Amino acid sequence: MEGQPPPARPTAHAAPYDVLIRGGDVLDPSQGLRGRRDVAFAWGRVAAVSDPETIDPGDARLVIEATGRLVTPGLIDLHTHVYVGGSELVIPADEVCSASGCTTVVDAGTAGANTMLGLRMLTQGHVRTRVFAFVHISGIGLAGHPHGESRDLLYLDPQLAARCVLSYRGFVLGVKVRQTAALVGENGLEPLRRAVRAAELAEAVIRDRVPVMVHYGSAPAPLSELLSLLRPGDVVTHGFNGGRNGVLDDAGRVDGAAREARKRGVLWDVGHGRGSFSYGVAAACAEQGFWPDTISTDLHSASVNAPVVDMPTTMSKFLSLGMPLEQVVARSTVAPAQFINRALPAPAREPLLGTLQVGAPGDAAVLDLQGGAFAFRDSLGYSWTGPQRLSPVHTILGGRPWGRPYPHPYLIP
Ligand SMILES: [Zn+2]
């Protein structure tokens, strides 16, 4: 987090707004909105989005001056590992999110059916970040890291995973599976088949879609075979990995099976991670117009320091690949929000995340869009420079400033 603490504006009377982000360049793809606006928050929600200088600063308990800075909905990271205590391969959500503009994360299968209760308790009681989860088709989740959780099919019980989806409906969005040869041993694509089976079992009960997220990279079968098992609404993560059976064919063209899967409604996610993002693969895909649907980090203990760092850094890498800023922000806010909303029980399906619409939860990011020459690194150790970088300045969660430096006075609505 950069910059100075936002100036406090103590007032003698009760102000109608808790926080006012003043004069920023608001970019909210959910509303097709780009331009200078004031954004005010009250009661934990977005209370007003107005032309600049139309809201009296005296009407807010705290004013954040954002002239020259980008203001977006709170960033949403579809692939993280935040289950502290559930595996070694995790990071505390609040530690990273509070300083990176990220307000919602999805834990991608750190917990299996046997360990989901712990993740739920942790995120309900001890974490401010909005957290959702995929349940791993392996009942042990990633507790056995670094050993492959899908080497023994006894752990992969579709009934247990389906029960977990149903028990934690609204928190567990779907079923996760890792299809890397080293993690599945001799089991080929059977883990994915079981993940899809678990999703179908749950779907039969709730009569609604339950998505599967498949991690692939050096998969034990050709990409076309893996993708043929996926249904519309399922998501492929580590979409630009540099392993065997990847998105590019031998001639360096985007595999026809990937384009066909996308046409059917299968989503392509980044899931950068320590070993799953190749600049060469992503650049070839970009040249051929094959962009990710969602930008995510795969943040965990082994990826956070380098090469991932955080959401803005991952977004910056796509800027460097030529993706327009509006698209980069859309795929880090409204696109993952739509995925989450679709997976929530019907009564909860308000367009609540990934937007600065009035009435939405008061989640926002203030970012510096810097120009210059910035060094980036991929998961294979390749380095390149890009002309722009998004740098996080402030995170607003639930209408309150978040992270360091702590704002003063710390707001308690
Ligand atoms: Zn992961």
Side-chain angles (χ1 to χ4, degrees):
M1 189 69 79
E2 295 179 355
Q4 295 302 307
R9 295 189 69 98
T11 52
H13 60 282
Y17 301 123
D18 295 319
V19 176
L20 170 63
I21 302 177
R22 199 157 177 252
D25 179 13
V26 173
L27 172 49
D28 178 5
S30 79
Q31 307 183 73
L33 175 60
R34 176 83 194 260
R36 274 195 85 207
R37 296 285 190 282
D38 287 348
V39 183
F41 303 87
W43 302 104
R45 295 193 168 251
V46 180
V49 179
S50 317
D51 288 335
E53 289 158 34
T54 52
I55 297 177
D56 181 352
D59 283 345
R61 295 173 67 192
L62 187 84
V63 176
I64 294 173
E65 295 292 349
T67 300
R69 286 175 166 158
L70 204 58
V71 179
T72 72
L75 306 177
I76 300 178
D77 193 343
L78 203 58
H79 185 157
T80 64
H81 296 279
V82 298
Y83 183 4
V84 175
S87 172
E88 256 200 340
L89 209 61
V90 297
I91 44 122
D94 289 356
E95 203 172 294
V96 178
C97 292
S98 61
S100 70
C102 188
T103 50
T104 300
V105 301
V106 179
D107 183 285
T110 315
N114 285 285
T115 57
M116 185 57 76
L117 176 61
L119 177 59
R120 183 63 175 141
M121 289 166 68
L122 175 76
T123 55
Q124 265 188 329
H126 302 281
V127 175
R128 269 192 75 194
T129 310
R130 299 182 200 279
V131 180
F132 296 94
F134 282 94
V135 60
H136 202 300
I137 184 59
S138 175
I140 60 172
L142 302 189
H145 172 78
H147 306 295
E149 69 280 1
S150 296
R151 295 181 79 89
D152 187 339
L153 291 175
L154 271 178
Y155 292 137
L156 278 64
D157 183 337
Q159 296 233 4
L160 277 184
R163 280 176 197 278
C164 185
V165 171
L166 298 171
S167 301
Y168 297 99
R169 186 109 167 92
F171 173 64
V172 172
L173 304 176
V175 184
K176 173 81 188 294
V177 61
R178 297 202 295 174
Q179 281 292 171
T180 291
L183 300 174
V184 302
E186 302 300 309
N187 294 322
L189 294 177
E190 180 59 16
L192 174 56
R193 286 191 197 92
R194 294 192 182 200
V196 172
R197 178 74 186 131
E200 289 172 348
L201 285 169
E203 285 170 352
V205 176
I206 60 174
R207 296 167 192 273
D208 208 346
R209 298 280 299 115
V210 174
V212 168
M213 175 185 266
V214 57
H215 144 140
Y216 92 115
S218 294
L223 182 66
S224 58
E225 218 176 296
L226 180 144
L227 293 176
S228 71
L229 298 173
L230 299 181
R231 303 96 28 93
D234 290 342
V235 55
V236 174
T237 189
H238 305 321
F240 304 96
N241 75 77
R244 275 186 297 112
N245 293 320
V247 67
L248 300 179
D249 63 19
D250 292 342
R253 307 282 311 166
V254 173
D255 195 310
R259 293 194 185 276
E260 191 275 331
R262 169 171 276 171
K263 252 184 227 155
R264 288 192 291 117
V266 173
L267 301 170
W268 217 261
D269 178 56
V270 174
H272 188 310
R274 179 184 53 172
S276 304
F277 179 77
S278 156
Y279 174 82
V281 171
C285 286
E287 272 171 27
Q288 296 171 59
F290 194 81
W291 295 105
D293 295 295
T294 48
I295 294 174
S296 69
T297 61
D298 188 18
L299 267 180
H300 53 68
S301 52
S303 70
V304 63
N305 291 323
V308 174
V309 183
D310 57 16
M311 270 296 280
T313 304
T314 308
M315 294 161 73
S316 301
K317 292 178 183 180
F318 280 89
L319 286 177
S320 81
L321 287 164
M323 183 184 273
L325 176 67
E326 286 76 7
Q327 291 298 320
V328 169
V329 172
R331 286 154 213 243
S332 309
T333 55
V334 67
Q338 284 169 347
F339 179 90
I340 292 170
N341 282 338
R342 272 198 302 272
L344 291 178
R349 270 190 201 146
E350 301 168 82
L352 291 181
L353 298 172
T355 181
L356 291 173
Q357 286 176 49
V358 170
D363 297 356
V366 181
L367 306 161
D368 251 346
L369 179 60
Q370 301 167 339
F374 302 99
F376 299 108
R377 220 188 85 190
D378 74 0
S379 301
L380 308 177
Y382 178 77
S383 296
W384 74 101
T385 55
Q388 286 181 309
R389 180 175 67 183
L390 287 165
S391 180
V393 182
H394 294 293
T395 309
I396 310 294
L397 174 68
R400 293 165 67 190
W402 196 23
R404 296 169 191 264
Y406 294 120
H408 178 78
Y410 195 70
L411 289 176
I412 300 171

